[in-house]
Amino acid sequence: MTRSAALAAATEAIAHSGIRELADAATEVPGAIRLDVGQPDFATPAHIVEAAKQALDGGWTAYTPTQGLRSLRELIAAKIARVNGYPVGPDRVACGPGGVSAIAAAFGAVLEPTDEVLLPDPAWPNYELMAAWTHSRVVRYPCPPELGFLPDVERLRERITPRTKLLVVNSPNNPTGAVYPSETVRAIADLAEKHNLWLLSDECYDEIVHEGVTVSPAALVGDSRVISAYSFSKTYAMTGWRLGYVTGPSRLVDSVTKVLESQSSCAPSVSQKAAEAALAGPQDCVGEMRAAYRRRRDQVVDRLREAELLISVPRGAFYIMADVSPSGLSSRDFAFRLLRECSVSVAPGSAFGEVAARSVRISLASSEEDLAEGVGRLCHLVGELARDTA
Ligand code: PLP
């Protein structure tokens, strides 16, 4: 191939997210029960939609400052104090089109080629994609099922090298639903301090917690080396509006803003006005959706426990892992069998790393009816395959 037609090798080589692979296959199966992607089945609350309509009528159709409207960042600063428990001024907030782009901009702001980035195993697949185009090297630290999917801090420590630059944590966690207790957060923040690392705390599910509380590293140790990431997608069922943000020290936020400038110029102005309404308006909708996710969690926990496929009870976010090892299949093969034979789509654990390679992720963002039917079929298929292999 001639040089001019070559693509950046790291980006070309990396696979698409393994969640997408199943989700795309599911679109070819008419009537498939979709328990694969983290897409809330709720509509965006009406008062937020109404505010967006008014914003459009009022001419909010132009570029905004790259960091986001100051009025929005002031509301975000108040939310950070209220929910996440640390002080931050509007100048230290950068909004992007989705939490994903704000996080990617933080990767771009921090990492240089050959730097190492420590990612949890299992982890949301998008971090690997970000590492690919920043030309950094991914090193995984285990969050094993026997620890309730909490980070194994000792093994994390062993993976730090002189090249380690960024340590990513994600609580409440996708895909496991683990919520890290404050001792764990403190131990990890201490490691970041001791080894002079950036600590990226992905808190995009910060308001979906069923037991315990989420602890922001920035609230425990200050934010001089902590980058915290948040999203409107999950809290307010606003996935398609594309709005998220990061906070951090000024020099970090300045560099993040430069990356965002190159990627998107600004987040959609109408979405920023909708987000203002989300933060300034009544918060009952957040509690109602959280209560629904909790009911669904309890329902699925009971069903998986009965089938002896429960690994651990998620304390936050809206996902649960199911053990499919009795089927004798890899998680990917199992997920495709479940889709083809039972018309149920879940995310294979292998999409998230090695640790979850014999389990699948069920999204609790689907309806109670779909969960009852879909998880029932999943348990049945594992049982059938287990009998075949016995
Ligand atoms: N972080 C985690 C762990 C996620 O699961 C997601 C979305 O699924 C995001 C960040 C980003 O969400 P969004 O880009 O919709 O704000």
Side-chain angles (χ1 to χ4, degrees), residues 98-100 103 124 127 170 174 202 204-205 231 233-234 242-243 319:
V100 65
I103 294 169
W124 183 49
Y127 304 133
N170 171 217
N174 175 12
D202 180 345
C204 285
Y205 296 88
S231 173
S233 291
K234 317 293 177 171
R242 309 312 301 130
L243 196 64
Y319 307 102

Side-chain angles (χ1 to χ4, degrees), residues 110-121:
V110 165
L111 291 167
E112 293 187 279
T114 75
D115 281 345
E116 289 177 6
V117 48
L118 278 163
L119 298 183
D121 183 358

